[in-house]
Amino acid sequence: MTGEHALYVYALLRSETATTCEVTGLDGCPTRLVHAPGTGIAALVHDAPASPYQGGDDQVRRWVGQQSEVVTTVWERTGSVLPMTFNVLVADEPSPEGGSAGGRKAAERLTEWIAERAAEIDEQLRTLADRCELRVEIALDRRALGATPAPHTEGASTHRSAGMRRLLAKQEEQTARQTAERLADEVHAEVRGRLLAIAEDLRDRGRTQQSPDETHVLSAALLTRQENIDTVGGVLSELQARQPAVRIRFLGPWPPYSFTELPDPPTTAALLAGQRQPSAGARP
C-alpha cells in the first residue's frame, strides 16, 4: 500500500439502509456508508491507515470476530449484504510524482469500482435477500456403532501371542472402519438429498472438527430462506434420533458468506484481499 489513508470495507449493501452507520467497527472505529451515485449501492467502511491489520493469531481472531459482528448486525437490519473478506482496504491513489497528495481518493476509487460492477452486485443483493447460510457437519462415531467384539478378543485371546493379538486387533479395526464407511455413504446420500430439497444451494466445505474415532459423512454450507431454518433442523433431529451414532454440528444462521461471489476486486495496489473469515465457532 502506498497512500497514507484508506477505507476498510466491511460489506456492500443497498444505499437506502442508512441505519447501518450506527455500527461500531474494528477496535471501536466509527463506520459510515460510502454511496456510489446512481447505483443504489453503498459500501460500509471505516477510515483507516493504508496498511493491513496484522498481528498474532489471537489478535487476528479478535479482529475477525469484530468484523463478523459488524456484518451480522448490518445483515440482520437490512436482510441483504455482500460481506467482504478480512483486510480489504482501498487506499488513496498516490500522485504521479509520489506521495499521497494529488491522486484519486479512496472513496472515489471505491465508488468507481462499485459503479463498474453495479449490475452484478445488484443481482447478488437481490438473489441473497432474506436468505441465510447454515453450516452442517455430520460424522459417525465408530465407538457408538455397537460392533460386537470378535471371539478372538474375548478370553481366548489371552492364549495368543502378542503379535497375533495385534494382528487380530488391526483386522477388527479395519472391519469397523469399513462398516462405518458403508453406513456413512448411505447416510450421506440420504441426508444430502433431503437437505437439497429444502435449501436453494449446497456447497461442500472442509471439516472444521473431527475426532480420530469418527468417520466423515458430510460437511456443507446451505443457502436457505430464513423461514426454512427449523425445517433443516427437523431433518437433522430426525436423523439423530434414527442413527444414534451420528454426530451433528448445526451452525448459523449467518450472512451468506459462502454464496457471495463478488466481481474481481481492483488491482492489488488499490485493494488488499486478506484471509477469508474463519469458522472460529461463530462464523464461516
Side-chain angles (χ1 to χ4, degrees):
M1 300 292 280
T2 50
E4 296 182 352
H5 170 262
L7 295 175
Y8 187 98
V9 187
Y10 294 88
L12 304 180
L13 62 158
R14 301 289 184 194
S15 281
E16 64 267 24
T17 52
T19 55
T20 55
C21 293
E22 301 171 4
V23 178
T24 299
L26 272 62
D27 291 336
C29 292
T31 63
R32 62 188 176 91
L33 289 178
V34 173
H35 299 270
T39 67
I41 299 167
L44 181 69
V45 305
H46 80 243
D47 294 283
S51 58
Y53 281 79
Q54 294 178 313
D57 290 346
D58 289 344
Q59 177 68 73
V60 171
R61 276 194 289 270
R62 187 174 66 83
W63 283 327
V64 170
Q66 291 175 348
Q67 176 160 333
S68 295
E69 290 177 7
V70 171
V71 172
T72 299
T73 299
V74 174
W75 172 67
E76 290 173 345
R77 291 178 181 177
T78 64
S80 183
V81 299
L82 301 184
M84 304 295 286
T85 58
F86 178 63
N87 251 345
V88 172
L89 294 112
V90 178
D92 290 348
E93 187 177 61
S95 68
E97 294 78 20
S100 59
R104 291 181 301 161
K105 297 299 182 184
E108 183 180 358
R109 303 181 80 174
L110 177 58
T111 55
E112 286 179 358
W113 177 69
I114 293 173
E116 290 171 359
R117 297 156 177 85
E120 299 165 73
I121 296 171
D122 181 77
E123 173 63 18
Q124 284 201 56
L125 286 169
R126 185 190 62 77
T127 301
L128 297 176
D130 300 321
R131 273 74 168 175
C132 65
E133 177 173 339
L134 303 175
R135 185 71 57 82
V136 176
E137 297 184 7
I138 303 175
L140 279 174
D141 186 343
R142 293 191 297 278
R143 297 168 302 180
L145 283 178
T148 302
H152 61 260
T153 62
E154 303 295 345
S157 66
T158 58
H159 302 294
R160 300 183 187 279
S161 68
M164 180 59 72
R165 288 198 297 271
R166 285 195 296 273
L167 175 61
L168 294 174
K170 286 183 179 178
Q171 290 176 339
E172 185 174 291
E173 180 182 354
Q174 183 178 14
T175 299
R177 286 182 179 275
Q178 291 172 342
T179 300
E181 288 170 0
R182 284 194 295 270
L183 180 57
D185 289 343
E186 295 173 7
V187 173
H188 177 273
E190 176 200 336
V191 75
R192 184 183 179 90
R194 295 183 67 184
L195 293 176
L196 275 171
I198 303 167
E200 297 183 356
D201 199 355
L202 182 153
R203 298 187 181 183
D204 293 315
R205 299 294 303 267
R207 291 168 288 180
T208 59
Q209 295 183 13
Q210 182 162 313
S211 162
D213 295 315
E214 292 180 345
T215 296
H216 175 65
V217 175
L218 178 135
S219 180
L222 308 180
L223 179 69
T224 182
R225 289 182 173 276
Q226 298 268 10
E227 59 266 30
N228 288 335
I229 295 174
D230 289 344
T231 306
V232 173
V235 168
L236 300 177
S237 296
E238 190 276 333
L239 174 65
Q240 180 70 80
R242 187 160 40 85
Q243 296 283 359
V246 299
R247 299 292 178 261
I248 298 173
R249 298 183 74 229
F250 182 33
L251 306 175
W254 296 326
Y257 289 100
S258 298
F259 304 91
T260 299
E261 297 175 347
L262 288 172
D264 292 339
T267 62
T268 53
L271 192 151
L272 289 178
Q275 65 193 73
R276 289 272 175 189
Q277 301 275 22
S279 56
R283 285 291 175 272

